[in-house]
Amino acid sequence: MSELVHQRGGFPAGYTAVCQVGGRHVEMGMDFGILRLAPGQKHVLAPGRERACLLLDGDVELEWDGGGEAASRRSLFDESPWCLHVPAAARVAITARSAAELSIHAAECGRSFPARLYRPEDVRSEERGKGTMRETSTRIVRTIFDDANCPEANLVLGEVVDYPGKWSSYPPHHHPQPEIYHYRFLPENGFGFAALGADAFALRHNDTAFIT
């Protein structure tokens, strides 16, 4: 099964939940949403679930139990990400030093692991598909964390940067776990198409696809 959620008007200030554990799109088993902050605004994430805070744009101060650091990102297409990943027991505070946007991810997880701030240089970046299919599936895959570098986590998080007119993921394949794909385009009036089983969708800026 699959579904596409549109956010064609953009995301408002504050936190917008796209799916929720025990709530909207419960079949995904995850929280996912977009947080937009004005300069000087602070947002606190209470303990309770494994969480990841991925900086999309702007300057922020990230604080968590036992640590704190400033992070800055100007282009999610051209720059590798900053991402804070914490276990369920940790408290997180995000303070915007400029207008900022982050994606917030969460899942139930009873295992403990050290909180970690992934800096751009920590993120594994690969050019996949290069040299095959006349370069029609060449793309950049950034893996922030998965079962290789954080096996205790219930989340897997990364980014895929696609080139105009090329496949985002080929050949077709299957993963046993639910997956969320959130799309951004440059320029914002760009578009794409997704084939999920027998369903086909037109993709626009800020759309989110759920694959159960």
Side-chain angles (χ1 to χ4, degrees), residues 107-154:
E108 302 288 353
C109 182
R111 295 179 295 275
S112 182
F113 53 88
R116 180 175 178 183
L117 177 63
Y118 292 89
R119 302 170 180 85
E121 61 269 23
D122 300 322
V123 175
R124 187 170 76 246
S125 184
E126 308 168 74
E127 194 169 35
R128 295 188 185 172
K130 188 174 178 62
T132 65
M133 298 179 59
R134 298 183 180 180
E135 304 300 333
T136 55
S137 66
T138 305
R139 61 205 183 275
I140 298 170
V141 177
R142 302 169 178 155
T143 304
I144 301 169
F145 61 87
D146 58 12
D147 57 2
N149 60 352
C150 192
E152 301 85 1
N154 274 353

Side-chain angles (χ1 to χ4, degrees), residues 20-125:
Q20 299 166 289
V21 174
R24 297 174 62 193
H25 305 287
V26 64
E27 69 279 4
M28 299 307 297
M30 292 178 274
D31 286 349
F32 169 71
I34 299 297
L35 175 65
R36 298 189 65 201
L37 298 175
Q41 191 173 2
K42 184 175 184 177
H43 185 82
V44 176
L45 301 175
R49 294 190 177 105
E50 172 191 351
R51 281 145 297 146
C53 307
L54 173 60
L55 180 61
L56 302 177
D57 182 75
D59 301 301
V60 297
E61 186 75 33
L62 299 167
E63 301 173 80
W64 63 96
D65 296 340
E69 191 167 334
S72 179
R73 196 179 192 190
R74 291 290 171 266
S75 170
L76 59 85
F77 296 96
D78 300 321
E79 301 174 17
S80 285
W82 291 80
C83 179
L84 177 61
H85 182 213
V86 300
R91 176 184 177 274
V92 173
I94 304 167
T95 304
R97 301 191 301 176
S98 70
E101 186 176 28
L102 303 94
S103 60
I104 308 296
H105 314 254
E108 302 288 353
C109 182
R111 295 179 295 275
S112 182
F113 53 88
R116 180 175 178 183
L117 177 63
Y118 292 89
R119 302 170 180 85
E121 61 269 23
D122 300 322
V123 175
R124 187 170 76 246
S125 184

Side-chain angles (χ1 to χ4, degrees), residues 1-18:
M1 295 179 63
S2 55
E3 185 176 352
L4 190 68
V5 175
H6 303 294
Q7 194 75 27
R8 300 289 166 83
F11 290 94
Y15 178 73
T16 301
V18 181

Side-chain angles (χ1 to χ4, degrees), residues 77 138-140 160-164 166-169 183:
F77 296 96
T138 305
R139 61 205 183 275
I140 298 170
V160 180
V161 182
D162 302 310
Y163 297 103
K166 301 193 178 192
W167 291 98
S168 174
S169 181
Y183 292 90

